[in-house]
Each structure stands twice: as C-alpha cells, then as structure tokens.
Amino acid sequence: MATENKVGAFLQITMKINESDRAAAAAVYTKYRQPFLDDIAGAQSKNLLVRDSDVQVLHGFASVADAENYLKSDLFTQDVVVELNPYFQEAPEVCIYSVVG
C-alpha cells in the first residue's frame, strides 16, 4: 500500500496581476513548480488558482514550520519573487493556515 503525504499547512499567496501579464506570471509558476516540489523541505503540493480579481498560488506543506522556512528560502526570495515582482500591482497577501483534523 502506498503511503500518502499529509498536508499539515497551506501557504496562500494572493497577487493582483493585470490580465495582460497573467500568462507571463503563469510561466514563472510553471518554471518553479517542480523545483519547489523536489527541493523544498516538507513541500507536498503547489496549485495556481486564477479568478477575475486576482491570482493565487496555494502551496501544501507537511507543517507550518516548512511553510515559514520556504518564505525564507533562496528559491522563493531570490528566484520566484524577483521574477514575479514586475507583474505585481500591489504587495502580495501572504497567509499560512494550519490544517486541523
């Protein structure tokens, strides 16, 4: 029987990005999705959510500590944020949630 990784926390980053820039921002998401899953401790999932008003990236982690550590990682601070920064219309909203139950 295969073991399933349990998500213990979610990191939600909500970004205001103009519709004309969303394809370029999605390319950044695609570029760093697999390195995130392969190299970040506790990384379980990463999904891009799009709606009319904003774009969200929902990251699943084994723990809140793993989510907090990702926000300090070079992958996040030196790569993802640097490449997405030109597309932000305002500062992104960053939330970390614990999974209960």
Side-chain angles (χ1 to χ4, degrees), residues 9-11 41 59 61-72 96:
F10 284 101
L11 165 63
H59 308 72
F61 288 92
S63 70
V64 168
D66 290 331
E68 291 169 341
N69 288 334
Y70 171 61
L71 291 174
K72 299 175 205 165
I96 297 174

Side-chain angles (χ1 to χ4, degrees), residues 7 20 29 45 49 67 70 82 101:
V7 174
S20 61
Y29 163 83
S45 63
L49 309 173
Y70 171 61
V82 169

Side-chain angles (χ1 to χ4, degrees), residues 5 8 14 17 23-24 27 29 31 33-35 45 48 81-82 85 98:
N5 292 331
T14 304
I17 297 176
Y29 163 83
K31 178 179 179 179
R33 184 177 188 277
Q34 201 58 50
S45 63
L48 180 63
V81 171
V82 169
N85 195 49
S98 293

Side-chain angles (χ1 to χ4, degrees), residues 69-84:
N69 288 334
Y70 171 61
L71 291 174
K72 299 175 205 165
S73 73
D74 285 347
L75 179 66
F76 184 72
T77 63
Q78 309 272 328
D79 297 325
V80 174
V81 171
V82 169
E83 289 193 36
L84 284 175

Side-chain angles (χ1 to χ4, degrees), residues 18-28:
N18 285 332
E19 191 170 337
S20 61
D21 292 328
R22 289 186 178 185
V28 174

